[in-house]
Amino acid sequence: MPDNVRQFLRTKLDLEEEECFERPGLLNLHDLFEIAAALADRPELNNNPFIPRNAVPLKKPSLIFQTIRKQDILLHHPYDSFQTVIDLLDYASRDPKTLAIKQTLYRTGGDNPLTNSLIQAAENGKQVTVLMELKARFDEERNIVRAREMEQHGVHVVYGLVGLKIHGKMLQIIRREDDGVKGYCHLSTGNYNPNTSRMYTDLAIITADTKINNDVTNLFHAL
């Protein structure tokens, strides 16, 4: 550890020299958050801020489904912004053409804009079904609270399956369009959590592909 960083941390954390011990590697990765917070007001000791790319820079949100129908959208978080997923569900919740929304939720985090959009969709008369995994490590209590809140607003919540943990991340939006009923789905390796999407490396795809949407529909029916 550089001497200037060591001295700064000693001062910031009010530690004596004999209270500081060095070892190879990290004792606890979570400690990095404490160090990052301690360095928050020292920009010279931080990396330059990183701004993720907006994969679908839309001036008109109404064009988002038209964009997806033209081509699949591959997202690589955290380099691509998770805002694309937030905007997709937010617009679908208010879109008059949206008939139904189905989603699996594993780790929701705190005040999550996605769950707020699901509630908004239900209040707007959409058929909203959520499979909430209550065995999500560290988020069990929070998931129960959010599930009950969604139920109070008309969301149909399914509480997982006995003996199984649903770890898949799926979102499907069903719309009635001029040429028939169409499906759009988002499949991801990462949780629907805006906070962790800025830290974890994950891949996701948003697609209107008929075969993929049929598979997602059948899987939701099975669940």
Side-chain angles (χ1 to χ4, degrees):
M1 179 184 297
D3 291 340
N4 64 330
V5 176
R6 179 185 176 89
Q7 179 61 38
F8 172 73
L9 290 175
R10 277 188 54 205
T11 304
K12 190 76 173 181
L13 302 176
D14 193 24
L15 298 174
E16 300 295 334
E17 181 65 33
E18 60 270 18
E19 295 179 283
C20 297
F21 301 89
E22 291 192 24
R23 64 178 300 279
L26 293 169
L27 183 64
N28 184 350
L29 290 176
H30 193 268
D31 293 340
L32 291 175
F33 289 106
E34 185 176 350
I35 294 175
L39 297 176
D41 55 353
R42 293 291 299 274
E44 72 275 15
L45 300 178
N46 284 271
N47 293 324
N48 293 328
F50 174 77
I51 300 176
R53 181 182 72 102
N54 188 349
V56 189
L58 294 175
K59 295 182 180 179
K60 294 183 178 180
S62 59
L63 297 178
I64 192 167
F65 292 107
Q66 181 179 330
T67 302
I68 299 169
R69 290 185 68 172
K70 288 182 179 178
Q71 63 180 40
D72 296 343
I73 298 172
L74 180 66
L75 301 175
H76 188 192
H77 304 301
Y79 314 105
D80 289 324
S81 174
F82 191 72
Q83 189 64 40
T84 299
V85 183
I86 296 175
D87 291 343
L88 172 65
L89 187 55
D90 174 63
Y91 181 74
S93 70
R94 298 177 286 105
D95 176 24
K97 294 184 178 181
T98 299
L99 300 176
I101 298 174
K102 306 171 188 177
Q103 187 169 15
T104 60
L105 288 177
Y106 182 75
R107 180 166 290 133
T108 61
D111 186 19
N112 192 323
L114 294 174
T115 53
N116 294 338
S117 291
L118 292 169
I119 290 173
Q120 182 67 53
E123 292 182 341
N124 287 339
K126 322 296 183 189
Q127 181 186 14
V128 183
T129 304
V130 171
L131 192 149
M132 176 72 80
E133 180 52 72
L134 298 184
K135 297 189 289 294
R137 194 161 52 109
F138 308 127
D139 266 9
E140 294 91 341
E141 182 177 356
R142 186 177 295 163
N143 280 7
I144 292 174
V145 172
R146 292 300 273 169
R148 289 175 176 170
E149 180 182 2
M150 286 190 289
E151 284 184 318
Q152 292 172 357
H153 290 271
V155 177
H156 177 56
V157 180
V158 179
Y159 292 94
L161 300 175
V162 177
L164 294 175
K165 177 183 284 191
I166 307 302
H167 203 264
K169 286 80 180 183
M170 302 182 297
L171 164 65
Q172 187 175 45
I173 299 165
I174 307 298
R175 302 178 80 232
R176 186 182 301 280
E177 300 181 350
D178 295 339
D179 54 346
V181 176
K182 304 293 182 183
Y184 301 82
C185 65
H186 170 268
L187 305 174
S188 178
T189 64
N191 296 316
Y192 286 108
N193 187 321
N195 295 324
T196 58
S197 70
R198 294 195 293 266
M199 296 180 285
Y200 299 164
T201 303
D202 286 295
L203 288 172
I205 187 172
I206 304 176
T207 180
D209 183 270
T210 303
K211 291 183 179 179
I212 295 177
N213 271 276
N214 286 343
D215 281 347
V216 172
T217 297
N218 290 335
L219 182 53
F220 270 118
H221 287 169
L223 295 176

